[in-house]
Amino acid sequence: MTIQKATFAGGCFWCMVKPFDQWDGVHQVVSGYTGGHIENPVYEQVKHGNTGHYEAVEITYDDSIINYQTILDLYWPQIDPTDPDGQFQDRGEQYRTAIFYHNDEQKELAEKSKQLLAESGRFAKPVVTEIKAAAVFYPAEDYHQDFYKKSKTEYEEDRAKSGRDEFIAANWQESF
């Protein structure tokens, strides 16, 4: 057993936990902030978009059960990789998409995966999801953790009005 980490930004972190949380081999999915210039940021700072941080999830997984490529393949269909200004109803730099790699193998797999998606013809616009070295990850406040479980109604209402599910249905019916 080898425990690894994967870090992804895909807009609102509330919507990025559940898709990974339910897979064998995934030990934990933590909502948080990464990539910015403020130490120990809090939601009230990050939500205004001037800290440089992304809302992100850090996934801890056992790579003998689920590998990084599988996690990448789960990531792409959760986002609009062509939107440089946020995701769905959430606008601003804190809601942009990014893959934060933790080692050279993750970087190589992420770049190849992005290239394959860009060349697939699935999207008319360019794939703009950034691939960046992992930075310090700051867990978000407790009330953000496992939000889809703890605040099910609020989560479902927010997700329903976001447009995310309609985009996923329209653009990700088939894998790439």
Side-chain angles (χ1 to χ4, degrees), residues 41-95:
V42 296
Y43 181 70
E44 288 301 316
Q45 294 171 304
V46 175
K47 77 176 187 177
H48 295 295
N50 56 8
T51 67
H53 285 287
Y54 295 72
E55 280 197 14
V57 292
E58 184 179 74
I59 302 159
T60 305
Y61 65 99
D62 178 345
D63 74 353
S64 69
I65 298 171
I66 186 169
N67 63 32
Y68 188 71
Q69 183 63 57
T70 300
I71 292 174
L72 275 172
D73 292 345
L74 292 170
Y75 169 70
W76 288 113
Q78 307 309 315
I79 64 168
D80 175 355
T82 69
D83 188 344
D85 300 318
Q87 287 291 284
F88 313 105
Q89 73 178 356
D90 297 308
R91 312 311 299 156
E93 70 175 26
Q94 69 275 32
Y95 298 115

Side-chain angles (χ1 to χ4, degrees), residues 14-15 33 78 101 125 132 152 162:
W14 290 351
C15 292
Y33 318 109
Q78 307 309 315
Y101 59 87
K125 296 187 287 184
K132 305 175 78 152
K152 187 175 193 268
S162 74

